[in-house]
PDB file of all heavy atoms in Angstrom:
ATOM      1  N   GLU J 247       7.203 -11.102  -1.830  1.00  0.00           N
ATOM      2  CA  GLU J 247       8.071 -10.360  -2.763  1.00  0.00           C
ATOM      3  C   GLU J 247       8.251  -8.896  -2.359  1.00  0.00           C
ATOM      4  O   GLU J 247       9.096  -8.206  -2.913  1.00  0.00           O
ATOM      5  CB  GLU J 247       7.464 -10.397  -4.179  1.00  0.00           C
ATOM      6  CG  GLU J 247       7.333 -11.778  -4.762  1.00  0.00           C
ATOM      7  CD  GLU J 247       6.045 -12.493  -4.342  1.00  0.00           C
ATOM      8  OE1 GLU J 247       5.204 -11.908  -3.637  1.00  0.00           O
ATOM      9  OE2 GLU J 247       5.902 -13.665  -4.715  1.00  0.00           O
ATOM     10  N   LEU J 248       7.478  -8.411  -1.404  1.00  0.00           N
ATOM     11  CA  LEU J 248       7.535  -7.004  -1.014  1.00  0.00           C
ATOM     12  C   LEU J 248       8.890  -6.679  -0.395  1.00  0.00           C
ATOM     13  O   LEU J 248       9.284  -7.278   0.599  1.00  0.00           O
ATOM     14  CB  LEU J 248       6.417  -6.703  -0.015  1.00  0.00           C
ATOM     15  CG  LEU J 248       6.138  -5.239   0.270  1.00  0.00           C
ATOM     16  CD1 LEU J 248       5.570  -4.560  -0.971  1.00  0.00           C
ATOM     17  CD2 LEU J 248       5.170  -5.112   1.424  1.00  0.00           C
ATOM     18  N   PRO J 249       9.638  -5.735  -0.992  1.00  0.00           N
ATOM     19  CA  PRO J 249      10.950  -5.389  -0.441  1.00  0.00           C
ATOM     20  C   PRO J 249      10.823  -4.710   0.927  1.00  0.00           C
ATOM     21  O   PRO J 249       9.846  -4.019   1.194  1.00  0.00           O
ATOM     22  CB  PRO J 249      11.544  -4.418  -1.460  1.00  0.00           C
ATOM     23  CG  PRO J 249      10.596  -4.328  -2.578  1.00  0.00           C
ATOM     24  CD  PRO J 249       9.326  -5.003  -2.198  1.00  0.00           C
ATOM     25  N   THR J 250      11.814  -4.913   1.778  1.00  0.00           N
ATOM     26  CA  THR J 250      11.800  -4.309   3.111  1.00  0.00           C
ATOM     27  C   THR J 250      12.534  -2.971   3.101  1.00  0.00           C
ATOM     28  O   THR J 250      13.264  -2.654   2.177  1.00  0.00           O
ATOM     29  CB  THR J 250      12.440  -5.255   4.142  1.00  0.00           C
ATOM     30  OG1 THR J 250      13.776  -5.532   3.753  1.00  0.00           O
ATOM     31  CG2 THR J 250      11.660  -6.541   4.261  1.00  0.00           C
ATOM     32  N   GLY J 251      12.313  -2.192   4.170  1.00  0.00           N
ATOM     33  CA  GLY J 251      13.024  -0.934   4.355  1.00  0.00           C
ATOM     34  C   GLY J 251      12.437   0.247   3.620  1.00  0.00           C
ATOM     35  O   GLY J 251      13.127   1.242   3.432  1.00  0.00           O
ATOM     36  N   GLN J 252      11.187   0.180   3.206  1.00  0.00           N
ATOM     37  CA  GLN J 252      10.581   1.312   2.504  1.00  0.00           C
ATOM     38  C   GLN J 252       9.112   1.436   2.881  1.00  0.00           C
ATOM     39  O   GLN J 252       8.514   0.488   3.387  1.00  0.00           O
ATOM     40  CB  GLN J 252      10.728   1.144   1.005  1.00  0.00           C
ATOM     41  CG  GLN J 252      10.060  -0.083   0.432  1.00  0.00           C
ATOM     42  CD  GLN J 252      10.375  -0.258  -1.040  1.00  0.00           C
ATOM     43  OE1 GLN J 252      11.109   0.498  -1.626  1.00  0.00           O
ATOM     44  NE2 GLN J 252       9.794  -1.274  -1.639  1.00  0.00           N
ATOM     45  N   PRO J 253       8.491   2.618   2.652  1.00  0.00           N
ATOM     46  CA  PRO J 253       7.058   2.762   2.920  1.00  0.00           C
ATOM     47  C   PRO J 253       6.242   1.867   1.987  1.00  0.00           C
ATOM     48  O   PRO J 253       6.699   1.475   0.921  1.00  0.00           O
ATOM     49  CB  PRO J 253       6.781   4.237   2.620  1.00  0.00           C
ATOM     50  CG  PRO J 253       8.101   4.898   2.592  1.00  0.00           C
ATOM     51  CD  PRO J 253       9.105   3.862   2.217  1.00  0.00           C
ATOM     52  N   VAL J 254       5.012   1.562   2.417  1.00  0.00           N
ATOM     53  CA  VAL J 254       4.126   0.703   1.632  1.00  0.00           C
ATOM     54  C   VAL J 254       2.820   1.447   1.369  1.00  0.00           C
ATOM     55  O   VAL J 254       2.181   1.920   2.305  1.00  0.00           O
ATOM     56  CB  VAL J 254       3.810  -0.606   2.381  1.00  0.00           C
ATOM     57  CG1 VAL J 254       2.901  -1.493   1.548  1.00  0.00           C
ATOM     58  CG2 VAL J 254       5.074  -1.345   2.745  1.00  0.00           C
ATOM     59  N   ASP J 255       2.442   1.543   0.098  1.00  0.00           N
ATOM     60  CA  ASP J 255       1.152   2.111  -0.273  1.00  0.00           C
ATOM     61  C   ASP J 255       0.175   0.963  -0.489  1.00  0.00           C
ATOM     62  O   ASP J 255       0.399   0.095  -1.323  1.00  0.00           O
ATOM     63  CB  ASP J 255       1.270   2.955  -1.544  1.00  0.00           C
ATOM     64  CG  ASP J 255       2.052   4.236  -1.307  1.00  0.00           C
ATOM     65  OD1 ASP J 255       1.964   4.781  -0.193  1.00  0.00           O
ATOM     66  OD2 ASP J 255       2.745   4.695  -2.228  1.00  0.00           O
ATOM     67  N   VAL J 256      -0.913   0.962   0.294  1.00  0.00           N
ATOM     68  CA  VAL J 256      -1.918  -0.093   0.244  1.00  0.00           C
ATOM     69  C   VAL J 256      -3.133   0.433  -0.513  1.00  0.00           C
ATOM     70  O   VAL J 256      -3.609   1.538  -0.236  1.00  0.00           O
ATOM     71  CB  VAL J 256      -2.334  -0.527   1.665  1.00  0.00           C
ATOM     72  CG1 VAL J 256      -3.356  -1.652   1.611  1.00  0.00           C
ATOM     73  CG2 VAL J 256      -1.116  -0.932   2.484  1.00  0.00           C
ATOM     74  N   GLU J 257      -3.625  -0.367  -1.470  1.00  0.00           N
ATOM     75  CA  GLU J 257      -4.811  -0.001  -2.240  1.00  0.00           C
ATOM     76  C   GLU J 257      -5.747  -1.201  -2.314  1.00  0.00           C
ATOM     77  O   GLU J 257      -5.300  -2.324  -2.540  1.00  0.00           O
ATOM     78  CB  GLU J 257      -4.425   0.415  -3.655  1.00  0.00           C
ATOM     79  CG  GLU J 257      -5.608   0.736  -4.549  1.00  0.00           C
ATOM     80  CD  GLU J 257      -5.187   0.990  -5.977  1.00  0.00           C
ATOM     81  OE1 GLU J 257      -4.475   1.980  -6.219  1.00  0.00           O
ATOM     82  OE2 GLU J 257      -5.564   0.192  -6.851  1.00  0.00           O
ATOM     83  N   VAL J 258      -7.035  -0.956  -2.136  1.00  0.00           N
ATOM     84  CA  VAL J 258      -8.055  -1.993  -2.266  1.00  0.00           C
ATOM     85  C   VAL J 258      -8.865  -1.695  -3.517  1.00  0.00           C
ATOM     86  O   VAL J 258      -9.247  -0.547  -3.753  1.00  0.00           O
ATOM     87  CB  VAL J 258      -8.993  -2.029  -1.037  1.00  0.00           C
ATOM     88  CG1 VAL J 258     -10.107  -3.045  -1.233  1.00  0.00           C
ATOM     89  CG2 VAL J 258      -8.209  -2.344   0.218  1.00  0.00           C
ATOM     90  N   GLN J 259      -9.118  -2.734  -4.312  1.00  0.00           N
ATOM     91  CA  GLN J 259     -10.003  -2.610  -5.467  1.00  0.00           C
ATOM     92  C   GLN J 259     -11.179  -3.544  -5.254  1.00  0.00           C
ATOM     93  O   GLN J 259     -10.998  -4.702  -4.889  1.00  0.00           O
ATOM     94  CB  GLN J 259      -9.296  -2.983  -6.767  1.00  0.00           C
ATOM     95  CG  GLN J 259      -8.240  -2.010  -7.186  1.00  0.00           C
ATOM     96  CD  GLN J 259      -7.612  -2.398  -8.509  1.00  0.00           C
ATOM     97  OE1 GLN J 259      -8.006  -3.367  -9.146  1.00  0.00           O
ATOM     98  NE2 GLN J 259      -6.625  -1.639  -8.927  1.00  0.00           N
ATOM     99  N   SER J 260     -12.381  -3.020  -5.469  1.00  0.00           N
ATOM    100  CA  SER J 260     -13.587  -3.833  -5.366  1.00  0.00           C
ATOM    101  C   SER J 260     -14.396  -3.638  -6.633  1.00  0.00           C
ATOM    102  O   SER J 260     -14.739  -2.506  -6.983  1.00  0.00           O
ATOM    103  CB  SER J 260     -14.400  -3.427  -4.143  1.00  0.00           C
ATOM    104  OG  SER J 260     -15.563  -4.222  -4.042  1.00  0.00           O
ATOM    105  N   ALA J 261     -14.657  -4.744  -7.324  1.00  0.00           N
ATOM    106  CA  ALA J 261     -15.395  -4.719  -8.588  1.00  0.00           C
ATOM    107  C   ALA J 261     -14.760  -3.742  -9.575  1.00  0.00           C
ATOM    108  O   ALA J 261     -15.442  -3.063 -10.327  1.00  0.00           O
ATOM    109  CB  ALA J 261     -16.860  -4.377  -8.346  1.00  0.00           C
ATOM    110  N   GLY J 262     -13.431  -3.642  -9.534  1.00  0.00           N
ATOM    111  CA  GLY J 262     -12.709  -2.787 -10.463  1.00  0.00           C
ATOM    112  C   GLY J 262     -12.567  -1.343 -10.035  1.00  0.00           C
ATOM    113  O   GLY J 262     -11.892  -0.562 -10.693  1.00  0.00           O
ATOM    114  N   PHE J 263     -13.188  -0.939  -8.923  1.00  0.00           N
ATOM    115  CA  PHE J 263     -13.096   0.431  -8.442  1.00  0.00           C
ATOM    116  C   PHE J 263     -12.041   0.505  -7.348  1.00  0.00           C
ATOM    117  O   PHE J 263     -12.119  -0.215  -6.352  1.00  0.00           O
ATOM    118  CB  PHE J 263     -14.445   0.915  -7.901  1.00  0.00           C
ATOM    119  CG  PHE J 263     -15.504   1.013  -8.955  1.00  0.00           C
ATOM    120  CD1 PHE J 263     -16.430   0.003  -9.111  1.00  0.00           C
ATOM    121  CD2 PHE J 263     -15.558   2.107  -9.806  1.00  0.00           C
ATOM    122  CE1 PHE J 263     -17.399   0.075 -10.085  1.00  0.00           C
ATOM    123  CE2 PHE J 263     -16.526   2.200 -10.791  1.00  0.00           C
ATOM    124  CZ  PHE J 263     -17.455   1.177 -10.934  1.00  0.00           C
ATOM    125  N   PRO J 264     -11.029   1.392  -7.494  1.00  0.00           N
ATOM    126  CA  PRO J 264      -9.948   1.461  -6.501  1.00  0.00           C
ATOM    127  C   PRO J 264     -10.254   2.417  -5.355  1.00  0.00           C
ATOM    128  O   PRO J 264     -11.018   3.372  -5.503  1.00  0.00           O
ATOM    129  CB  PRO J 264      -8.772   1.987  -7.322  1.00  0.00           C
ATOM    130  CG  PRO J 264      -9.429   2.865  -8.351  1.00  0.00           C
ATOM    131  CD  PRO J 264     -10.752   2.203  -8.671  1.00  0.00           C
ATOM    132  N   SER J 265      -9.631   2.152  -4.220  1.00  0.00           N
ATOM    133  CA  SER J 265      -9.661   3.090  -3.099  1.00  0.00           C
ATOM    134  C   SER J 265      -8.496   4.061  -3.280  1.00  0.00           C
ATOM    135  O   SER J 265      -7.621   3.852  -4.116  1.00  0.00           O
ATOM    136  CB  SER J 265      -9.490   2.341  -1.773  1.00  0.00           C
ATOM    137  OG  SER J 265      -8.176   1.802  -1.684  1.00  0.00           O
ATOM    138  N   ARG J 266      -8.467   5.087  -2.458  1.00  0.00           N
ATOM    139  CA  ARG J 266      -7.251   5.892  -2.361  1.00  0.00           C
ATOM    140  C   ARG J 266      -6.230   5.053  -1.622  1.00  0.00           C
ATOM    141  O   ARG J 266      -6.572   4.191  -0.825  1.00  0.00           O
ATOM    142  CB  ARG J 266      -7.516   7.175  -1.579  1.00  0.00           C
ATOM    143  CG  ARG J 266      -8.361   8.154  -2.325  1.00  0.00           C
ATOM    144  CD  ARG J 266      -8.439   9.456  -1.579  1.00  0.00           C
ATOM    145  NE  ARG J 266      -9.197  10.403  -2.363  1.00  0.00           N
ATOM    146  CZ  ARG J 266      -9.608  11.560  -1.909  1.00  0.00           C
ATOM    147  NH1 ARG J 266      -9.340  11.919  -0.661  1.00  0.00           N
ATOM    148  NH2 ARG J 266     -10.279  12.367  -2.673  1.00  0.00           N
ATOM    149  N   THR J 267      -4.969   5.304  -1.871  1.00  0.00           N
ATOM    150  CA  THR J 267      -3.945   4.522  -1.184  1.00  0.00           C
ATOM    151  C   THR J 267      -3.789   5.016   0.250  1.00  0.00           C
ATOM    152  O   THR J 267      -4.025   6.180   0.553  1.00  0.00           O
ATOM    153  CB  THR J 267      -2.586   4.604  -1.904  1.00  0.00           C
ATOM    154  OG1 THR J 267      -2.178   5.962  -1.965  1.00  0.00           O
ATOM    155  CG2 THR J 267      -2.671   4.009  -3.295  1.00  0.00           C
ATOM    156  N   LEU J 268      -3.419   4.083   1.106  1.00  0.00           N
ATOM    157  CA  LEU J 268      -3.128   4.378   2.498  1.00  0.00           C
ATOM    158  C   LEU J 268      -1.684   3.957   2.738  1.00  0.00           C
ATOM    159  O   LEU J 268      -1.314   2.823   2.421  1.00  0.00           O
ATOM    160  CB  LEU J 268      -4.081   3.602   3.406  1.00  0.00           C
ATOM    161  CG  LEU J 268      -4.089   3.952   4.882  1.00  0.00           C
ATOM    162  CD1 LEU J 268      -4.536   5.400   5.088  1.00  0.00           C
ATOM    163  CD2 LEU J 268      -5.043   3.035   5.630  1.00  0.00           C
ATOM    164  N   ARG J 269      -0.860   4.839   3.249  1.00  0.00           N
ATOM    165  CA  ARG J 269       0.563   4.558   3.412  1.00  0.00           C
ATOM    166  C   ARG J 269       0.870   4.008   4.801  1.00  0.00           C
ATOM    167  O   ARG J 269       0.451   4.551   5.808  1.00  0.00           O
ATOM    168  CB  ARG J 269       1.392   5.810   3.178  1.00  0.00           C
ATOM    169  CG  ARG J 269       2.892   5.549   3.362  1.00  0.00           C
ATOM    170  CD  ARG J 269       3.734   6.573   2.716  1.00  0.00           C
ATOM    171  NE  ARG J 269       3.779   6.267   1.296  1.00  0.00           N
ATOM    172  CZ  ARG J 269       4.596   6.884   0.453  1.00  0.00           C
ATOM    173  NH1 ARG J 269       5.400   7.817   0.859  1.00  0.00           N
ATOM    174  NH2 ARG J 269       4.577   6.560  -0.825  1.00  0.00           N
ATOM    175  N   VAL J 270       1.622   2.900   4.810  1.00  0.00           N
ATOM    176  CA  VAL J 270       2.181   2.329   6.030  1.00  0.00           C
ATOM    177  C   VAL J 270       3.644   2.760   6.049  1.00  0.00           C
ATOM    178  O   VAL J 270       4.327   2.716   5.025  1.00  0.00           O
ATOM    179  CB  VAL J 270       2.053   0.789   6.041  1.00  0.00           C
ATOM    180  CG1 VAL J 270       2.699   0.201   7.273  1.00  0.00           C
ATOM    181  CG2 VAL J 270       0.583   0.390   5.965  1.00  0.00           C
ATOM    182  N   ASN J 271       4.151   3.166   7.215  1.00  0.00           N
ATOM    183  CA  ASN J 271       5.476   3.782   7.330  1.00  0.00           C
ATOM    184  C   ASN J 271       6.617   2.993   6.716  1.00  0.00           C
ATOM    185  O   ASN J 271       7.478   3.555   6.055  1.00  0.00           O
ATOM    186  CB  ASN J 271       5.817   4.078   8.784  1.00  0.00           C
ATOM    187  CG  ASN J 271       4.967   5.191   9.343  1.00  0.00           C
ATOM    188  OD1 ASN J 271       4.324   5.919   8.614  1.00  0.00           O
ATOM    189  ND2 ASN J 271       4.939   5.305  10.657  1.00  0.00           N
ATOM    190  N   ARG J 272       6.638   1.661   6.937  1.00  0.00           N
ATOM    191  CA  ARG J 272       7.808   0.914   6.474  1.00  0.00           C
ATOM    192  C   ARG J 272       7.516  -0.582   6.424  1.00  0.00           C
ATOM    193  O   ARG J 272       6.523  -1.059   6.966  1.00  0.00           O
ATOM    194  CB  ARG J 272       9.007   1.171   7.380  1.00  0.00           C
ATOM    195  CG  ARG J 272       8.828   0.630   8.790  1.00  0.00           C
ATOM    196  CD  ARG J 272       9.939   1.073   9.732  1.00  0.00           C
ATOM    197  NE  ARG J 272       9.743   0.572  11.072  1.00  0.00           N
ATOM    198  CZ  ARG J 272       8.897   1.079  11.955  1.00  0.00           C
ATOM    199  NH1 ARG J 272       8.160   2.096  11.636  1.00  0.00           N
ATOM    200  NH2 ARG J 272       8.783   0.551  13.162  1.00  0.00           N
ATOM    201  N   THR J 273       8.446  -1.305   5.816  1.00  0.00           N
ATOM    202  CA  THR J 273       8.428  -2.766   5.880  1.00  0.00           C
ATOM    203  C   THR J 273       9.654  -3.198   6.665  1.00  0.00           C
ATOM    204  O   THR J 273      10.699  -2.561   6.603  1.00  0.00           O
ATOM    205  CB  THR J 273       8.466  -3.410   4.482  1.00  0.00           C
ATOM    206  OG1 THR J 273       9.566  -2.875   3.765  1.00  0.00           O
ATOM    207  CG2 THR J 273       7.180  -3.172   3.734  1.00  0.00           C
ATOM    208  N   GLU J 274       9.489  -4.265   7.416  1.00  0.00           N
ATOM    209  CA  GLU J 274      10.584  -4.823   8.202  1.00  0.00           C
ATOM    210  C   GLU J 274      10.767  -6.272   7.804  1.00  0.00           C
ATOM    211  O   GLU J 274       9.825  -6.920   7.345  1.00  0.00           O
ATOM    212  CB  GLU J 274      10.263  -4.733   9.698  1.00  0.00           C
ATOM    213  CG  GLU J 274      10.096  -3.318  10.203  1.00  0.00           C
ATOM    214  CD  GLU J 274       9.662  -3.276  11.667  1.00  0.00           C
ATOM    215  OE1 GLU J 274       9.194  -4.299  12.194  1.00  0.00           O
ATOM    216  OE2 GLU J 274       9.780  -2.201  12.260  1.00  0.00           O
TER     217      GLU J 274
END
């Protein structure tokens, strides 16, 4: 479902605690 043509912010949650987001430049 992830739309293409835009940056992607990735976040990991473990046991309910989130990480800071890490940005990937784009989706293709």
